[in-house]
Every structure is written in C-alpha cells, then in structure tokens.
C-alpha cells in the first residue's frame, strides 16, 4: 500500500496534464488555419482589385471622322461640266434647304434645251452630300456610319417608285466605293433615262443623279451616255469634299451622342424643285 501511493499520484497527475496538452495543440492548429484563410482572402482581394483596375475597364476609343465639313454643294460641279450636262441651266444651281450645312447639302440644275424642229432635250442634274461624325458614346466611327448609309442610299435609288429596268453596277475610281443605279421612269408622258451614282469617300456619302428625256421628236438619251456623264460629275463632287477638308484635320467629334441635328436632312424631291 505504501509503494502504490506514489504510483497512483503520478497516474492522476499525467491524466490531468493530458487535456492541457490537447488544448495547446488545438490552439496552435486553429492559429495556423486562420493564417492560411487570411492569406487566401488577401489573395482574393488582390485578384478582384486587379480585375476592376482602370486599365482593364478602359474601352478602346473610336477613330475620329476624317472629314469635318462639307463644301457648298452648288460648287461641287464645275461650270464647264454643268454647261456640258445641262446646257441651258444656270451654273449657280438651286440649293436645297439644310438644318446644318456641315452635315448635309443639296443642289440641282435643270433646263430644257430647245432645238426647234429637232425637238427639245430636257436634262436634270443634282448632287446630295451627307457627312457623318463619329459617336464615341455608341462606339461607332463616322466611316462605319457612312458605310451603312451608303448601302441605304443605293437601296433608296433602286426602290424609286415607278422605276423600270433597274440595274446596278460597281464603279471604280470614285471615292472609296461607288455604285451606279440605272433605270427608266415615265414622267409627263415621256420615258426619262436615269443614271444615279452613289459614292462613299471616308465618312461622307455623295449621290449624283442625272436624268433626261427628249420632247417634240428628240430622242431620249442612252443609258451609256447618261452613266458616263453622271460618273464625271460624281468624281468632281468627291474631289470637292476632299478639297474642302484639306488642312483642317479630322473632325473634333463634339457630337458624341445622337441628337436630331446629327442626322442629315432629306433632300427636296425633283417634283418640288420643278415647281419652284
């Protein structure tokens, strides 16, 4: 009995010490786990911050429009060409109305050339200018807008009410892209021959329409002759737009958001001009 007492005392002391050791180990384990989680959180925060940094959130800028303005539409065709295509017309032409001449313009020339017993030749020539600014807010460049509206102007010419024998063909050497739309249209009991040239040059779209008919026995002009003349006038108009923007640099593109004045106004109809 005397020998077992010290042994019992040691067993009780060891049993009392065991939980304390477990507690110490447990605390140490919790501490290590907390440090690991903390590291993960910091890493996650750093990754999140990097993904939303200004560099990654920045959107690419839209290219500014090359042409910042338009020339006087009535001066886009030379007097020599006007005299050749519309012999009896005033070289000054008749300008159409525009809410903003920097984005749209229109001018027309028409006259009847009386040749006495040989009849009379009627000719009509008009030019329409449309310019498109880049829109930073929408991410659309002036050139892209011009390309879209170039296609629309071609479709508009092809869809002319009453047009017959409509044909389209590409034209080279006129701006960045050009298309000729030919058709005939019966007006005043005569068949008029039409040649419409739609051209795009940078952020501008130019439409030249040339048509005519013969009265009193005069022959109607051929499609080939009208097309050749319309292309000549279109080349002059395209060059006039480029000349008007020389030295001016690209447009400032202040019109970065859509507004009514940013859309070119429609040109007056031929019938309305004839009445005037």
């Amino acid at each position: 009995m005397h020998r077992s007492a010290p042994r019992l005392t040691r067993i009780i002391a060891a049993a009392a010490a065991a939980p304390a050791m477990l507690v110490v180990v447990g605390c140490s384990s919790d501490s290590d786990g907390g440090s690991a989680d903390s590291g993960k959180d910091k890493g996650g925060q750093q990754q999140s911050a990097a993904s939303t940094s200004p560099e990654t959130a920045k959107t690419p800028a839209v290219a500014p429009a090359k042409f910042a303005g338009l020339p006087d539409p009535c001066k886009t065709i030379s007097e020599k060409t006007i005299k050749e295509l519309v012999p009896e017309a005033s070289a000054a032409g008749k300008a159409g109305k525009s809410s903003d001449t920097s984005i749209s313009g229109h001018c027309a020339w028409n006259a009847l050339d009386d040749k006495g017993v040989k009849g009379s030749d009627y000719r009509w020539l008009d030019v329409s200018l449309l310019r498109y600014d880049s829109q930073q807010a929408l991410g659309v460049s002036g050139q892209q807008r011009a390309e879209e509206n170039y296609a629309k102007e071609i479709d508009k010419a092809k869809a002319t009410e009453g047009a017959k024998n409509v044909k389209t063909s590409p034209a080279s050497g006129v701006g960045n892209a050009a298309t000729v739309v030919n058709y005939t249209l019966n007006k005043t009991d005569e068949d008029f021959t039409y040649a419409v040239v739609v051209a795009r040059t940078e952020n501008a779209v130019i439409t030249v329409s040339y048509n005519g008919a013969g009265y009193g026995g005069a022959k109607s002009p051929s499609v080939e002759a009208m097309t050749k003349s319309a292309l000549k006038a279109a080349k002059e108009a395209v060059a006039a737009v480029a000349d008007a923007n020389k030295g001016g640099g690209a447009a400032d593109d202040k019109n970065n958001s859509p507004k009514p004045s940013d859309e070119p106004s429609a040109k007056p109809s031929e019938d309305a001009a004839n009445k005037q």
Side-chain angles (χ1 to χ4, degrees):
M1 295 295 294
H2 292 288
R3 290 180 181 178
S4 61
R7 183 180 179 186
L8 181 60
T9 300
R10 288 195 300 271
I11 293 173
I12 293 172
M21 292 175 65
L22 291 174
V23 171
V24 172
V25 173
C27 289
S28 176
S29 177
D30 289 343
S31 176
D32 291 341
S35 299
D37 291 341
S38 176
K40 290 179 181 179
D41 289 343
K42 289 180 180 179
Q45 291 175 358
Q46 291 174 355
Q47 183 177 1
S48 176
S51 64
T52 57
S53 64
E55 291 300 322
T56 56
K58 187 184 297 183
T59 56
V62 175
K66 182 172 182 178
F67 294 148
L70 292 174
D72 180 341
C74 291
K75 293 182 179 179
T76 56
I77 312 298
S78 68
E79 291 188 17
K80 179 181 178 181
T81 299
I82 295 299
K83 186 173 181 59
E84 178 185 334
L85 273 56
V86 194
E88 297 300 316
S90 167
K94 187 172 182 61
K97 294 181 179 180
S98 174
S99 59
D100 187 344
T101 56
S102 72
I103 61 173
S104 68
H106 176 257
C107 191
W109 300 261
N110 66 92
L112 184 68
D113 185 10
D114 188 353
K115 296 184 177 180
V117 296
K118 294 183 179 180
S120 301
D121 292 326
Y122 176 80
R123 297 292 184 271
W124 171 289
L125 173 69
D126 68 63
V127 58
S128 173
L129 310 176
L130 303 173
R131 186 185 65 81
Y132 299 90
D133 283 319
S134 295
Q135 294 180 333
Q136 298 289 346
L138 299 180
V140 183
S141 69
Q143 179 174 319
Q144 289 174 315
R145 295 181 66 202
E147 289 172 352
E148 293 174 0
N149 285 279
Y150 164 71
K152 290 180 180 178
E153 290 298 318
I154 294 172
D155 290 340
K156 188 187 298 184
K158 292 165 59 179
T160 300
E161 185 177 357
K164 297 179 180 180
N165 303 317
V166 180
K167 295 180 180 178
T168 61
S169 57
S172 60
V174 187
N176 299 108
T179 298
V180 179
V181 182
N182 295 111
Y183 58 88
T184 58
L185 187 65
N186 187 274
K187 298 189 299 183
T188 61
D189 296 328
E190 296 292 342
D191 287 328
F192 281 66
T193 304
Y194 276 75
V196 181
V197 180
V198 182
R200 180 188 69 81
T201 174
E202 304 298 346
N203 57 305
V205 176
I206 299 165
T207 302
V208 170
S209 178
Y210 186 47
N211 65 84
Y215 287 94
K219 293 182 179 179
S220 293
S222 68
V223 172
E224 293 75 17
M226 298 299 282
T227 299
K228 182 179 179 180
S229 295
L231 285 170
K232 180 179 181 178
K235 289 179 181 179
E236 291 187 10
V238 167
V241 172
D243 289 342
N245 286 275
K246 281 184 177 178
D252 293 332
D253 288 338
K254 296 179 180 178
N255 303 319
N256 288 331
S257 59
K259 56 185 180 180
S261 62
D262 193 40
E263 292 300 328
S265 60
K267 68 181 182 180
S269 67
E270 292 183 11
D271 290 338
N274 278 330
K275 290 180 181 179
Q276 296 172 355

